[in-house]
Structures are given as structure tokens and as C-alpha cells.
């Protein structure tokens, strides 16, 4: 009987991963199975956690040793599966935390240079999985939250009370005696998520903390932001892109900038800081829609979207966002002036990336690609072969490759072939600003 029950649970989990309906995934939009995270009599961490700390408890499911291909809800690659030259495997929109363990040392202009892994994203503390606090930033950049306290549940609420109702409103019941509220029956994160019937509800995007969720020092989030992702989202973008449809903070949602600003307050204060949450002016919108790559401004407003430079649409309506959250390139519309907006995630990934500050592209060199002797775009790498058009050996171009292998460089761009870019592609700030 026990073996049969185990097989049944494995089968249900498999259905949840591959997207069959009905789906009863572990979280299902709200508080999950208590025993999945807590142990009544064999706890390792507090409060009665199955692992040493909150993030380790999360990674007990969200990281699997030996998993070397992108797979559903996994957001971290085991250290043993990404030795030198081998990239982290997971390709979720938020990125793979494994990149914060990848440190690169190389010779740049005659001097030894090190790019430390801890600069590559959020340094969650997960002691059972080798994740340690940021050794440089004792508090969140631009804020006061202690880096030693950063965990998965700093952003995600594992007991989430936030829910979307039949009429599209988002509520957060207090669960105090003397009231009723609509039970959560499904996730609200996916393009395939149902519209809840009257009397029921679905969860909010990724169980993100809402107005009553306090990540630190009695500072609560301003609400939940709006977004929808395809049901299949952890995947290579070699052929088609994975589009997460980010929404604008129309009531009852908050903006992404305000939400991130809960911990990174000073990043949004002052006149010498890149705008966030602002509507895109017509010039920037025209640039985005025209720019396909360095030297190619032949894009249109229906062909220009890039998941490496996403934007927030001027709506929080689930049905609209769900219709745009695709992974088959059938909806590549770019932004609309005066309604769509720049958000923190236009440039950064939420978890980690191959690059400093969790940026979506390499900010540390003018080129993202180079060219082989025939002028075809190639990724630089310490194991690249061949020569450039000016007869420089490709594998010696450390100012561009920064010690990465070709496999790591390719994974950094979610398996896009280098030919998706121009030869000598410049940084993707140009998607909006066209200075190349």
C-alpha cells in the first residue's frame, strides 16, 4: 500500500510538471502540504523545518542533484553538476541561483582579474546547499535589509493569503475568526490558470509577498505585482522565446518598482538613477520596436519583443496578460508609448544570471558577440576556436569572454545561437537607446 501511494504521488507530481489538467501541484497557489516543509518530530531547522533554514527547505524540492537539463520548477543547479566550463542548467525567467557560485579568473590587459560569483544575483542563505550571505553587501543595495537574512521567503510567501477572485480583484483575507473567504484551488501564475468560479479563488503570481507580508524590520510589501508566465517556462530559447507578460500596477496591484523597492529603496530615489515604473516615451518606444540587433533597425511593433529586454504592459488584466504569455513567438509585440513601462526586470533577473548584478546581458564589455573569419557572429569563450576577421585568435579574447566557456556564454543567453545577434553585437541598452 505504501509503495502504491508513493507511485500515485509521483504520478500526480509528473502531471503537475508537464501541465496536464487538473493540476494539483505542491503549492497550488497558496499554502502547501504542511509536511512538505515542516516535520513534527524530526525537524532540522526553525520553525520545525525539514532542512536547516528556509531557503534550504525550498531547495529541497527546487534543486535536484544530477538534473542537467531545464526542468519545470527547478531554480538552482547542484554545484557538482556545473564544474568549470559547465553552466547552470535551469532557464527559468528568474534565472538559476547556481550562477552565484560561478567565479571566473582570467587575464585582462595583462593583469589577473576575478569576477566573483556572489555579484551575479541574490545571495540567498541556504546552508544545506552551499549558499552563503553576500560577503560584500551587508545590507540590500540601496536598502537596510540584512543580507544575512535573505532567503527565498524574503520575496515569496509560502503561506500566501493573496488570491485573485472571479471579478479579477485581489484580496488578502486576515483569516481572523468571524469571516469567510474564497478558498484557493489553483495557481494564478500561468497562461493556463483558470478564471475562478464565484466562491473560489486562485493564487497570485509566484506566491509573491503582499501588503501584509513583512520581509524585514516590520517593513511590508506595498501589495503584489501582476504577471503571467507560460505553463512551460523553464526551457531553452534557442528557437523561440519564453515571454513572461509583466503587468502594470493598476489597482489592486502594485508596480514592480514599488515592490522591489521594499528592500532596495534608494535605488528609486534621486535624479541620477535610471527611471523605473515610468511610461515609455514615443522615442524610446520607436527605438525598441525598430531595434532587432546592432545594425538592424528593421523591426516593427509586432516583431520586436525580446525576453532579454522585457517591459511592463499597461494593464493588470489577467486575460490580456495570459494571451501574451507565450513560448512560441506568435506574439512578439513591442511596447506601446505612454501606456507600457520600464520595470526593474527589464534589465535584471529576479534570482541570478551569468552577469554582474543579475543583469540579463554582459554589462562588462562593449561586445556580446564577436565574429569568425567569415564575419558570422560567434560567442567568445576560453575554448572557442578560429580567428576573427582581423586575425585575432578567438580564444584569447578574454576581454570579451571573461573566462567563460562557449557553453557558459550560450547558456547566459538562454541557449540562443550567437547568430540571433549581430556579429560584434553591442550591449542591449541599445534596445531602447540605439547608440551603436
Amino acid at each position: 500500500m505504501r509503495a502504491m501511494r508513493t507511485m500515485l504521488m509521483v504520478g500526480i507530481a509528473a502531471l503537475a510538471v508537464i501541465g496536464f489538467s487538473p493540476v494539483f501541484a505542491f503549492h497550488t497557489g497558496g499554502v502547501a502540504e504542511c509536511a512538505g516543509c515542516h516535520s513534527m518530530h524530526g525537524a532540522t531547522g526553525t520553525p520545525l523545518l525539514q532542512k536547516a533554514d528556509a531557503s534550504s527547505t525550498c531547495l529541497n524540492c527546487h534543486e535536484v542533484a544530477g538534473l542537467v537539463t531545464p526542468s519545470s520548477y527547478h531554480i538552482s543547479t547542484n554545484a557538482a553538476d556545473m564544474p568549470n566550463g559547465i553552466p547552470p542548467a535551469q532557464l527559468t525567467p528568474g534565472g538559476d541561483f547556481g550562477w552565484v557560485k560561478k567565479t571566473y579568473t582570467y587575464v585582462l590587459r595583462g593583469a589577473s582579474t576575478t569576477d566573483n560569483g556572489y555579484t551575479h544575483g541574490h545571495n540567498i542563505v541556504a546552508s544545506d546547499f552551499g549558499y552563503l550571505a553576500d560577503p560584500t553587501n551587508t545590507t540590500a543595495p540601496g536598502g537596510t535589509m540584512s543580507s544575512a537574512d535573505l532567503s527565498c521567503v524574503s520575496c515569496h510567501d509560502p503561506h500566501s493569503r493573496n488570491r485573485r477572485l472571479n471579478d479579477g480583484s485581489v484580496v488578502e483575507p486576515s483569516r481572523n475568526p468571524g469571516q469567510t473567504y474564497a478558498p484557493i484551488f489553483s495557481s494564478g501564475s500561468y497562461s493556463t490558470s483558470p478564471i475562478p468560479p464565484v466562491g473560489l479563488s486562485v493564487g497570485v503570481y509566484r506566491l509573491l509577498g503582499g501588503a501584509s507580508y513583512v520581509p524585514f524590520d516590520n517593513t511590508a510589501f506595498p501589495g503584489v505585482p501582476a504577471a503571467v508566465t507560460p505553463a512551460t517556462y523553464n526551457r531553452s530559447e534557442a528557437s523561440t522565446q519564453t515571454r513572461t507578460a509583466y503587468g502594470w500596477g493598476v489597482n489592486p496591484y502594485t508596480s514592480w518598482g514599488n515592490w522591489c523597492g521594499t528592500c532596495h529603496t534608494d535605488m528609486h530615489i534621486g535624479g541620477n538613477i535610471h527611471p523605473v515604473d515610468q511610461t515609455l516615451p514615443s522615442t524610446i518606444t520607436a527605438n525598441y520596436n525598430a531595434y532587432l540587433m546592432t545594425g538592424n533597425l528593421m523591426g516593427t511593433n509586432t516583431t520586436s519583443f525580446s525576453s532579454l529586454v522585457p517591459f511592463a504592459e499597461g494593464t493588470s488584466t489577467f486575460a490580456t496578460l495570459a494571451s501574451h504569455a507565450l513560448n512560441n513567438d506568435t506574439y512578439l509585440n513591442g511596447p506601446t508609448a505612454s501606456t507600457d513601462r520600464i520595470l526593474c526586470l527589464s534589465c535584471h533577473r529576479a534570482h541570478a544570471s551569468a552577469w554582474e548584478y543579475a543583469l540579463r546581458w554582459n554589462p562588462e564589455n562593449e561586445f556580446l558577440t564577436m565574429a569568425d573569419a567569415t564575419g558570422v557572429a560567434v560567442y567568445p569563450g576560453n575554448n572557442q576556436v578560429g580567428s576573427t576577421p582581423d586575425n585575432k585568435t578567438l580564444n584569447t579574447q578574454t576581454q570579451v569572454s571573461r573566462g567563460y566557456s562557449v557553453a557558459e556564454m550560450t547558456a547566459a543567453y538562454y541557449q540562443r545561437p550567437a547568430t540571433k545577434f549581430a556579429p560584434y553585437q553591442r550591449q542591449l541598452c541599445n534596445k531602447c537607446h540605439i547608440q551603436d
Side-chain angles (χ1 to χ4, degrees):
M1 181 65 71
R2 183 179 180 88
M4 182 176 293
R5 181 177 182 274
T6 300
M7 291 178 66
L8 177 61
M9 294 305 294
V10 170
I12 292 173
L15 290 176
V17 168
I18 61 179
F20 281 83
S21 184
V23 173
F24 297 102
F26 178 71
H27 292 287
T28 315
V31 62
E33 303 163 24
C34 301
C37 301
H38 301 280
S39 175
M40 291 292 287
H41 302 290
T44 301
T46 302
L48 295 180
L49 292 173
Q50 290 198 3
K51 304 294 284 186
D53 49 56
S55 292
S56 295
T57 301
C58 296
L59 292 181
N60 202 32
C61 291
H62 290 276
E63 176 183 306
V64 175
L67 186 60
V68 295
T69 56
S71 175
S72 189
Y73 51 81
H74 299 102
I75 47 83
S76 174
T77 299
N78 186 273
D81 296 321
M82 49 177 193
N84 289 342
I86 303 300
Q90 305 309 316
L91 299 173
T92 72
D96 190 318
F97 280 111
W99 286 109
V100 304
K101 295 182 179 179
K102 302 288 283 187
T103 291
Y104 298 90
T105 299
Y106 52 95
V107 176
L108 180 61
R109 301 181 183 93
S112 180
T113 302
T114 298
D115 287 347
N116 291 296
Y118 62 77
T119 67
H120 292 163
H122 281 104
N123 287 264
I124 54 170
V125 177
S127 58
D128 289 347
F129 290 82
Y131 287 102
L132 306 175
D134 190 318
T136 300
N137 298 299
T138 57
T139 60
T144 60
M145 179 183 179
S146 171
S147 297
D149 295 331
L150 180 64
S151 72
C152 301
V153 300
S154 296
C155 298
H156 303 276
D157 181 357
H159 305 140
S160 180
R161 294 178 299 188
N162 293 279
R163 59 204 68 204
R164 177 167 50 82
L165 304 180
N166 172 267
D167 61 2
S169 63
V170 171
V171 298
E172 187 176 13
S174 64
R175 302 193 189 115
N176 291 328
Q179 66 169 313
T180 61
Y181 47 87
I184 296 173
F185 81 105
S186 183
S187 170
S189 296
Y190 305 109
S191 58
T192 54
S193 296
I195 302 297
V198 174
L200 291 177
S201 63
V202 296
V204 296
Y205 187 69
R206 293 296 185 242
L207 303 177
L208 293 177
S212 296
Y213 194 64
V214 179
F216 72 102
D217 291 346
N218 297 316
T219 301
F221 286 107
V224 295
V228 182
T229 198
T232 302
Y233 58 88
N234 189 357
R235 58 187 290 276
S236 166
E237 297 187 38
S239 298
T240 59
Q241 301 183 83
T242 301
R243 180 167 188 162
T244 298
Y246 297 102
W248 169 240
V250 180
N251 187 50
Y253 295 93
T254 189
S255 73
W256 283 91
N258 284 337
W259 192 86
C260 297
T262 303
C263 295
H264 299 285
T265 309
D266 292 347
M267 292 297 184
H268 303 157
I269 298 174
N272 295 319
I273 297 174
H274 195 289
V276 67
D277 286 348
Q278 295 186 12
T279 54
L280 294 169
S282 57
T283 300
I284 298 298
T285 301
N287 287 347
Y288 187 109
N289 287 329
Y291 190 96
L292 297 179
M293 62 183 71
T294 293
N296 186 339
L297 304 181
M298 297 299 291
T300 69
N301 64 343
T302 61
T303 64
S304 64
F305 175 79
S306 172
S307 65
L308 293 174
V309 195
F311 54 90
E313 300 184 42
T315 180
S316 59
T317 301
F318 173 79
T320 301
L321 295 177
S323 69
H324 300 167
L326 303 170
N327 60 18
N328 57 13
D329 281 1
T330 57
Y331 185 83
L332 293 175
N333 287 34
T336 299
S338 302
T339 60
D340 296 344
R341 302 178 184 240
I342 188 170
L343 70 164
C344 304
L345 298 177
S346 294
C347 301
H348 302 276
R349 293 198 184 274
H351 294 163
S353 78
W355 312 114
E356 193 173 26
Y357 313 126
L359 287 169
R360 292 175 180 263
W361 64 87
N362 181 6
E364 300 168 293
N365 190 267
E366 58 184 322
F367 299 125
L368 308 188
T369 65
M370 299 190 76
D372 65 15
T374 67
V376 174
V378 294
Y379 285 122
N382 59 15
N383 60 340
Q384 182 62 277
V385 297
S387 300
T388 67
D390 57 352
N391 296 316
K392 293 178 181 177
T393 304
L394 277 166
N395 63 12
T396 64
Q397 303 307 298
T398 53
Q399 72 272 24
V400 186
S401 70
R402 307 190 74 83
Y404 289 60
S405 68
V406 174
E408 289 170 313
M409 192 69 68
T410 306
Y413 296 110
Y414 280 44
Q415 304 298 338
R416 285 172 173 77
T419 49
K420 294 280 187 177
F421 299 111
Y424 295 96
Q425 172 68 48
R426 305 280 174 155
Q427 291 189 20
L428 295 181
C429 303
N430 289 290
K431 181 70 168 162
C432 292
H433 299 291
I434 310 186
Q435 299 298 314
D436 61 354

